[in-house]
PDB file of all heavy atoms in Angstrom:
ATOM      1  N   GLN D  39       1.732 -16.808   9.437  1.00 98.00           N
ATOM      2  CA  GLN D  39       1.411 -17.524  10.668  1.00 98.00           C
ATOM      3  C   GLN D  39       2.736 -18.159  11.259  1.00 98.00           C
ATOM      4  O   GLN D  39       3.426 -18.883  10.543  1.00 98.00           O
ATOM      5  CB  GLN D  39       0.422 -18.660  10.390  1.00 98.00           C
ATOM      6  CG  GLN D  39      -0.075 -19.363  11.686  1.00 98.00           C
ATOM      7  CD  GLN D  39      -1.239 -20.251  11.387  1.00 98.00           C
ATOM      8  OE1 GLN D  39      -1.478 -20.748  10.272  1.00 98.00           O
ATOM      9  NE2 GLN D  39      -2.031 -20.507  12.399  1.00 98.00           N
ATOM     10  N   SER D  40       2.967 -17.889  12.487  1.00 96.00           N
ATOM     11  CA  SER D  40       4.126 -18.534  13.200  1.00 96.00           C
ATOM     12  C   SER D  40       3.566 -19.592  14.146  1.00 96.00           C
ATOM     13  O   SER D  40       2.372 -19.542  14.488  1.00 96.00           O
ATOM     14  CB  SER D  40       4.938 -17.477  13.975  1.00 96.00           C
ATOM     15  OG  SER D  40       4.114 -16.715  14.872  1.00 96.00           O
ATOM     16  N   PRO D  41       4.398 -20.469  14.623  1.00 90.00           N
ATOM     17  CA  PRO D  41       3.878 -21.641  15.425  1.00 90.00           C
ATOM     18  C   PRO D  41       3.047 -21.215  16.648  1.00 90.00           C
ATOM     19  O   PRO D  41       2.044 -21.858  16.940  1.00 90.00           O
ATOM     20  CB  PRO D  41       5.132 -22.356  15.824  1.00 90.00           C
ATOM     21  CG  PRO D  41       6.088 -22.073  14.715  1.00 90.00           C
ATOM     22  CD  PRO D  41       5.858 -20.663  14.329  1.00 90.00           C
ATOM     23  N   GLY D  42       3.403 -20.170  17.339  1.00 88.00           N
ATOM     24  CA  GLY D  42       2.707 -19.764  18.527  1.00 88.00           C
ATOM     25  C   GLY D  42       1.637 -18.713  18.325  1.00 88.00           C
ATOM     26  O   GLY D  42       1.107 -18.192  19.344  1.00 88.00           O
ATOM     27  N   LYS D  43       1.277 -18.375  17.107  1.00 94.00           N
ATOM     28  CA  LYS D  43       0.326 -17.306  16.859  1.00 94.00           C
ATOM     29  C   LYS D  43      -0.752 -17.725  15.828  1.00 94.00           C
ATOM     30  O   LYS D  43      -0.577 -18.678  15.088  1.00 94.00           O
ATOM     31  CB  LYS D  43       1.021 -16.074  16.346  1.00 94.00           C
ATOM     32  CG  LYS D  43       2.079 -15.510  17.274  1.00 94.00           C
ATOM     33  CD  LYS D  43       2.813 -14.318  16.694  1.00 94.00           C
ATOM     34  CE  LYS D  43       1.905 -13.154  16.471  1.00 94.00           C
ATOM     35  NZ  LYS D  43       2.642 -11.958  15.974  1.00 94.00           N
ATOM     36  N   GLU D  44      -1.820 -16.990  15.788  1.00 95.00           N
ATOM     37  CA  GLU D  44      -2.820 -17.143  14.777  1.00 95.00           C
ATOM     38  C   GLU D  44      -2.408 -16.559  13.466  1.00 95.00           C
ATOM     39  O   GLU D  44      -1.550 -15.698  13.446  1.00 95.00           O
ATOM     40  CB  GLU D  44      -4.142 -16.546  15.247  1.00 95.00           C
ATOM     41  CG  GLU D  44      -4.741 -17.141  16.521  1.00 95.00           C
ATOM     42  CD  GLU D  44      -6.037 -16.523  16.943  1.00 95.00           C
ATOM     43  OE1 GLU D  44      -6.772 -16.007  16.020  1.00 95.00           O
ATOM     44  OE2 GLU D  44      -6.336 -16.458  18.106  1.00 95.00           O
ATOM     45  N   ARG D  45      -3.015 -17.028  12.400  1.00 96.00           N
ATOM     46  CA  ARG D  45      -2.744 -16.447  11.100  1.00 96.00           C
ATOM     47  C   ARG D  45      -3.187 -14.990  11.062  1.00 96.00           C
ATOM     48  O   ARG D  45      -4.312 -14.664  11.436  1.00 96.00           O
ATOM     49  CB  ARG D  45      -3.421 -17.230   9.961  1.00 96.00           C
ATOM     50  CG  ARG D  45      -3.007 -16.817   8.594  1.00 96.00           C
ATOM     51  CD  ARG D  45      -3.553 -17.823   7.537  1.00 96.00           C
ATOM     52  NE  ARG D  45      -3.075 -19.178   7.775  1.00 96.00           N
ATOM     53  CZ  ARG D  45      -3.290 -20.187   6.935  1.00 96.00           C
ATOM     54  NH1 ARG D  45      -3.964 -19.982   5.826  1.00 96.00           N
ATOM     55  NH2 ARG D  45      -2.881 -21.396   7.211  1.00 96.00           N
ATOM     56  N   GLU D  46      -2.284 -14.091  10.604  1.00 97.00           N
ATOM     57  CA  GLU D  46      -2.544 -12.673  10.675  1.00 97.00           C
ATOM     58  C   GLU D  46      -2.394 -12.015   9.308  1.00 97.00           C
ATOM     59  O   GLU D  46      -1.576 -12.479   8.457  1.00 97.00           O
ATOM     60  CB  GLU D  46      -1.686 -11.969  11.663  1.00 97.00           C
ATOM     61  CG  GLU D  46      -0.155 -11.992  11.283  1.00 97.00           C
ATOM     62  CD  GLU D  46       0.685 -11.254  12.308  1.00 97.00           C
ATOM     63  OE1 GLU D  46       0.150 -10.597  13.294  1.00 97.00           O
ATOM     64  OE2 GLU D  46       1.943 -11.335  12.181  1.00 97.00           O
ATOM     65  N   PHE D  47      -3.125 -10.917   9.078  1.00 98.00           N
ATOM     66  CA  PHE D  47      -3.090 -10.189   7.839  1.00 98.00           C
ATOM     67  C   PHE D  47      -1.799  -9.474   7.680  1.00 98.00           C
ATOM     68  O   PHE D  47      -1.186  -8.896   8.625  1.00 98.00           O
ATOM     69  CB  PHE D  47      -4.255  -9.181   7.818  1.00 98.00           C
ATOM     70  CG  PHE D  47      -4.186  -8.140   6.787  1.00 98.00           C
ATOM     71  CD1 PHE D  47      -4.499  -8.509   5.418  1.00 98.00           C
ATOM     72  CD2 PHE D  47      -3.795  -6.923   7.030  1.00 98.00           C
ATOM     73  CE1 PHE D  47      -4.427  -7.574   4.428  1.00 98.00           C
ATOM     74  CE2 PHE D  47      -3.747  -5.907   6.006  1.00 98.00           C
ATOM     75  CZ  PHE D  47      -4.052  -6.290   4.697  1.00 98.00           C
ATOM     76  N   VAL D  48      -1.274  -9.439   6.461  1.00 98.00           N
ATOM     77  CA  VAL D  48      -0.106  -8.662   6.093  1.00 98.00           C
ATOM     78  C   VAL D  48      -0.336  -7.615   5.052  1.00 98.00           C
ATOM     79  O   VAL D  48      -0.023  -6.402   5.336  1.00 98.00           O
ATOM     80  CB  VAL D  48       0.991  -9.625   5.518  1.00 98.00           C
ATOM     81  CG1 VAL D  48       2.237  -8.837   5.088  1.00 98.00           C
ATOM     82  CG2 VAL D  48       1.397 -10.705   6.568  1.00 98.00           C
ATOM     83  N   ALA D  49      -0.947  -7.929   3.908  1.00 98.00           N
ATOM     84  CA  ALA D  49      -1.158  -6.915   2.872  1.00 98.00           C
ATOM     85  C   ALA D  49      -2.231  -7.426   1.920  1.00 98.00           C
ATOM     86  O   ALA D  49      -2.488  -8.671   1.793  1.00 98.00           O
ATOM     87  CB  ALA D  49       0.151  -6.641   2.109  1.00 98.00           C
ATOM     88  N   THR D  50      -2.860  -6.453   1.211  1.00 97.00           N
ATOM     89  CA  THR D  50      -3.823  -6.856   0.171  1.00 97.00           C
ATOM     90  C   THR D  50      -3.747  -5.868  -0.986  1.00 97.00           C
ATOM     91  O   THR D  50      -3.288  -4.760  -0.812  1.00 97.00           O
ATOM     92  CB  THR D  50      -5.292  -6.887   0.743  1.00 97.00           C
ATOM     93  OG1 THR D  50      -6.148  -7.434  -0.182  1.00 97.00           O
ATOM     94  CG2 THR D  50      -5.721  -5.500   1.172  1.00 97.00           C
ATOM     95  N   ILE D  51      -4.203  -6.310  -2.145  1.00 97.00           N
ATOM     96  CA  ILE D  51      -4.257  -5.510  -3.324  1.00 97.00           C
ATOM     97  C   ILE D  51      -5.543  -5.838  -4.122  1.00 97.00           C
ATOM     98  O   ILE D  51      -5.930  -7.022  -4.245  1.00 97.00           O
ATOM     99  CB  ILE D  51      -3.036  -5.673  -4.200  1.00 97.00           C
ATOM    100  CG1 ILE D  51      -2.974  -4.747  -5.402  1.00 97.00           C
ATOM    101  CG2 ILE D  51      -2.896  -7.155  -4.651  1.00 97.00           C
ATOM    102  CD1 ILE D  51      -1.675  -4.718  -6.130  1.00 97.00           C
ATOM    103  N   THR D  52      -6.182  -4.820  -4.632  1.00 94.00           N
ATOM    104  CA  THR D  52      -7.451  -4.989  -5.375  1.00 94.00           C
ATOM    105  C   THR D  52      -7.168  -5.531  -6.744  1.00 94.00           C
ATOM    106  O   THR D  52      -6.074  -5.409  -7.306  1.00 94.00           O
ATOM    107  CB  THR D  52      -8.258  -3.729  -5.458  1.00 94.00           C
ATOM    108  OG1 THR D  52      -7.487  -2.710  -6.209  1.00 94.00           O
ATOM    109  CG2 THR D  52      -8.580  -3.115  -4.125  1.00 94.00           C
ATOM    110  N   GLY D  53      -8.185  -6.119  -7.307  1.00 88.00           N
ATOM    111  CA  GLY D  53      -8.114  -6.640  -8.709  1.00 88.00           C
ATOM    112  C   GLY D  53      -8.389  -5.640  -9.745  1.00 88.00           C
ATOM    113  O   GLY D  53      -8.225  -5.884 -10.958  1.00 88.00           O
ATOM    114  N   SER D  54      -8.896  -4.465  -9.329  1.00 78.00           N
ATOM    115  CA  SER D  54      -9.346  -3.455 -10.302  1.00 78.00           C
ATOM    116  C   SER D  54      -8.276  -2.352 -10.504  1.00 78.00           C
ATOM    117  O   SER D  54      -7.615  -2.313 -11.542  1.00 78.00           O
ATOM    118  CB  SER D  54     -10.627  -2.829  -9.819  1.00 78.00           C
ATOM    119  OG  SER D  54     -10.550  -2.325  -8.491  1.00 78.00           O
ATOM    120  N   ASP D  55      -8.156  -1.490  -9.495  1.00 81.00           N
ATOM    121  CA  ASP D  55      -7.271  -0.306  -9.647  1.00 81.00           C
ATOM    122  C   ASP D  55      -5.916  -0.477  -8.954  1.00 81.00           C
ATOM    123  O   ASP D  55      -5.118   0.452  -8.976  1.00 81.00           O
ATOM    124  CB  ASP D  55      -7.979   0.941  -9.147  1.00 81.00           C
ATOM    125  CG  ASP D  55      -8.428   0.831  -7.732  1.00 81.00           C
ATOM    126  OD1 ASP D  55      -8.146  -0.205  -7.061  1.00 81.00           O
ATOM    127  OD2 ASP D  55      -9.130   1.774  -7.234  1.00 81.00           O
ATOM    128  N   GLY D  56      -5.639  -1.556  -8.365  1.00 88.00           N
ATOM    129  CA  GLY D  56      -4.366  -1.794  -7.674  1.00 88.00           C
ATOM    130  C   GLY D  56      -4.211  -1.118  -6.357  1.00 88.00           C
ATOM    131  O   GLY D  56      -3.083  -0.947  -5.904  1.00 88.00           O
ATOM    132  N   TRP D  57      -5.284  -0.702  -5.722  1.00 94.00           N
ATOM    133  CA  TRP D  57      -5.214  -0.143  -4.394  1.00 94.00           C
ATOM    134  C   TRP D  57      -4.712  -1.130  -3.398  1.00 94.00           C
ATOM    135  O   TRP D  57      -5.034  -2.314  -3.490  1.00 94.00           O
ATOM    136  CB  TRP D  57      -6.608   0.313  -3.966  1.00 94.00           C
ATOM    137  CG  TRP D  57      -6.733   0.947  -2.613  1.00 94.00           C
ATOM    138  CD1 TRP D  57      -6.545   2.223  -2.288  1.00 94.00           C
ATOM    139  CD2 TRP D  57      -7.024   0.236  -1.412  1.00 94.00           C
ATOM    140  NE1 TRP D  57      -6.708   2.404  -0.934  1.00 94.00           N
ATOM    141  CE2 TRP D  57      -7.038   1.178  -0.382  1.00 94.00           C
ATOM    142  CE3 TRP D  57      -7.347  -1.094  -1.066  1.00 94.00           C
ATOM    143  CZ2 TRP D  57      -7.243   0.863   0.974  1.00 94.00           C
ATOM    144  CZ3 TRP D  57      -7.620  -1.416   0.255  1.00 94.00           C
ATOM    145  CH2 TRP D  57      -7.565  -0.485   1.259  1.00 94.00           C
ATOM    146  N   THR D  58      -3.857  -0.673  -2.504  1.00 97.00           N
ATOM    147  CA  THR D  58      -3.195  -1.550  -1.519  1.00 97.00           C
ATOM    148  C   THR D  58      -3.466  -1.111  -0.115  1.00 97.00           C
ATOM    149  O   THR D  58      -3.689   0.077   0.182  1.00 97.00           O
ATOM    150  CB  THR D  58      -1.686  -1.656  -1.764  1.00 97.00           C
ATOM    151  OG1 THR D  58      -1.107  -0.303  -1.668  1.00 97.00           O
ATOM    152  CG2 THR D  58      -1.360  -2.189  -3.193  1.00 97.00           C
ATOM    153  N   TYR D  59      -3.266  -2.085   0.793  1.00 97.00           N
ATOM    154  CA  TYR D  59      -3.439  -1.769   2.192  1.00 97.00           C
ATOM    155  C   TYR D  59      -2.525  -2.722   2.988  1.00 97.00           C
ATOM    156  O   TYR D  59      -2.405  -3.913   2.631  1.00 97.00           O
ATOM    157  CB  TYR D  59      -4.863  -1.920   2.699  1.00 97.00           C
ATOM    158  CG  TYR D  59      -5.087  -1.667   4.170  1.00 97.00           C
ATOM    159  CD1 TYR D  59      -5.026  -0.395   4.655  1.00 97.00           C
ATOM    160  CD2 TYR D  59      -5.314  -2.737   5.072  1.00 97.00           C
ATOM    161  CE1 TYR D  59      -5.178  -0.129   6.027  1.00 97.00           C
ATOM    162  CE2 TYR D  59      -5.455  -2.540   6.411  1.00 97.00           C
ATOM    163  CZ  TYR D  59      -5.426  -1.192   6.881  1.00 97.00           C
ATOM    164  OH  TYR D  59      -5.543  -0.970   8.237  1.00 97.00           O
TER     165      TYR D  59
END
Side-chain angles (χ1 to χ4, degrees):
Q39 186 171 27
S40 57
K43 301 177 64 176
E44 298 180 30
R45 190 170 300 186
E46 64 178 356
F47 169 76
V48 176
T50 187
I51 185 169
T52 62
S54 55
D55 56 4
W57 179 87
T58 60
Y59 179 73

